[in-house]
Amino acid sequence: MAEEVLLFSTWPSIYGRRVEMALKLKGIEYKYIEEDLTNKSPSLLKYNPVHKKIPVLVHNGKPVAESLVILEYIDETWKNHPILPKHPYERANTRFWAKFIDEKCLPAILKACWGEDRKEREKAVEELSKLLQFLENELKGKRFFGGETIGLLDIAANMIGYWLGIFEEASGVSELLTREKFPKLFIWANEFVSKTSTGTPNLKGMLYLPRDGG
């Protein structure tokens, strides 16, 4: 019996794009279901009754929610093209930095671009600069965070590789990620986009979307 893989998401979702990247890297066939976040489908509410958010992966009728959890599930279920390191310490380190990106970097990016006032935005820009320096150091001259191939941390960092430039353009803020400030991270972002590009959407007028997901 053929496997059934469904992905409930919305096309401008940072989190949904993570899952799509992993599925495509591993060559997994899946059916994509576009959600209207202003009128969520009964299926989404059924499969994710706790958070009622996208993305949700449904594999043979069994739902998995939260993008980082979904990425690990995908990697454990389909063994080709592993995206998590084999060594337990390296796996733990990857999880740490992925959580760092979600819990530290994304809030700082959103405040830097759309803070309530100039003072809040300036403070967030300073904070984001310090956070991005941690990621700059974590690359340590590697091609990708995963080494020579794209891994889970690279996929988790899609909000920096793909979306930061879009957020800058949409908000009018500039120079958050430059070659001068973060040479390794800048080069990584360009190569990551070139290797994984699936068409990056324009978020103007849709700025609420990154908040509905995880």
Side-chain angles (χ1 to χ4, degrees):
M1 184 177 177
E3 288 188 305
E4 182 184 53
V5 180
L6 310 176
L7 174 59
F8 292 81
S9 187
T10 187
W11 65 274
S13 168
I14 291 172
Y15 306 106
R17 288 276 162 149
R18 289 174 171 176
V19 179
E20 289 188 82
M21 285 179 189
L23 291 171
K24 289 174 181 177
L25 278 173
K26 287 178 173 283
I28 301 165
E29 293 187 7
Y30 65 97
K31 180 180 179 181
Y32 177 86
I33 296 99
E34 176 75 14
E35 281 290 327
D36 178 357
L37 299 184
T38 64
N39 184 26
K40 297 176 183 179
S41 71
S43 294
L44 176 63
L45 301 179
K46 169 189 172 183
Y47 287 127
N48 190 3
V50 176
H51 297 299
K52 302 179 176 64
K53 294 182 178 181
I54 52 92
V56 177
L57 184 81
V58 182
H59 181 210
N60 293 335
K62 296 180 179 179
V64 185
E66 301 295 312
S67 64
L68 295 180
V69 176
I70 295 172
L71 293 182
E72 292 207 37
Y73 176 84
I74 289 171
D75 201 45
E76 292 173 358
T77 303
W78 292 277
K79 302 297 184 181
N80 63 304
H81 196 110
I83 58 175
L84 268 170
K86 291 183 179 180
H87 193 280
Y89 175 78
E90 292 178 355
R91 292 168 75 91
N93 198 49
T94 294
R95 293 184 181 106
F96 171 85
W97 288 112
K99 191 173 182 181
F100 168 85
I101 288 168
D102 276 4
E103 295 184 357
K104 296 290 187 179
C105 294
L106 180 57
I109 289 171
L110 295 178
K111 286 181 181 179
C113 293
W114 298 294
E116 292 184 3
D117 53 45
R118 182 177 177 179
K119 185 177 180 180
E120 183 181 41
R121 291 192 294 273
E122 289 177 349
K123 182 178 179 180
V125 168
E126 291 180 9
E127 179 186 359
L128 180 60
S129 183
K130 294 176 182 178
L131 297 175
L132 292 180
Q133 188 61 54
F134 282 116
L135 295 177
E136 172 83 2
N137 296 338
E138 184 61 20
L139 275 169
K140 298 175 183 176
K142 295 182 291 187
R143 184 181 181 189
F144 298 105
F145 288 106
E148 287 301 306
T149 58
I150 291 170
L152 185 146
L153 185 52
D154 297 282
I155 295 171
N158 76 332
M159 69 177 62
I160 296 167
Y162 271 117
W163 300 87
L164 185 52
I166 295 174
F167 290 169
E168 287 180 308
E169 182 181 353
S171 66
V173 175
S174 63
E175 298 189 347
L176 296 178
L177 175 61
T178 66
R179 184 186 292 271
E180 291 71 27
K181 292 180 182 177
F182 310 104
K184 296 176 184 178
L185 198 58
F186 185 88
I187 293 169
W188 164 84
N190 280 278
E191 185 163 11
F192 175 71
V193 169
S194 71
K195 294 291 185 183
T196 61
S197 180
T198 57
T200 307
N202 186 340
L203 290 185
K204 290 181 179 179
M206 307 180 76
L207 301 182
Y208 65 93
L209 287 173
R211 295 168 176 81
D212 196 294

